[in-house]
Amino acid sequence: ELFYIILGELHVRTPDTEYVVEPGEVFVAQPGSPLQPYVPETATADVEAIILNAPQADDYQSHDPEN
């Protein structure tokens, strides 16, 4: 997963720590990693973000430039 923050602050909890992701910053998590993104009730602004989540797939095929 990838979170790119445009506006506001996104908090992300992991089993080990909590991160605060600010505008212009990117947070990237390994696939399958437990995390909890949230906006605290005390936040003074909404969060605008671009979030990418690639589903897990086992059927990838290599590109063959000869075909």
Side-chain angles (χ1 to χ4, degrees):
E1 284 184 280
L2 179 144
F3 300 85
Y4 174 73
I5 307 306
I6 299 167
L7 178 71
E9 292 182 345
L10 181 70
H11 291 238
V12 181
R13 268 192 205 117
T14 68
D16 298 324
T17 192
E18 181 171 323
Y19 300 92
V20 178
V21 191
E22 298 182 353
E25 294 183 340
V26 175
F27 180 89
V28 178
Q30 293 290 331
S33 297
L35 57 91
Q36 179 188 21
Y38 71 98
V39 179
E41 291 182 18
T42 58
T44 58
D46 290 336
V47 171
E48 291 183 15
I50 297 171
I51 302 170
L52 302 176
N53 186 6
Q56 186 174 3
D58 295 329
D59 61 349
Y60 292 111
Q61 296 181 1
S62 297
H63 171 67
D64 183 356
E66 301 298 319
N67 288 331

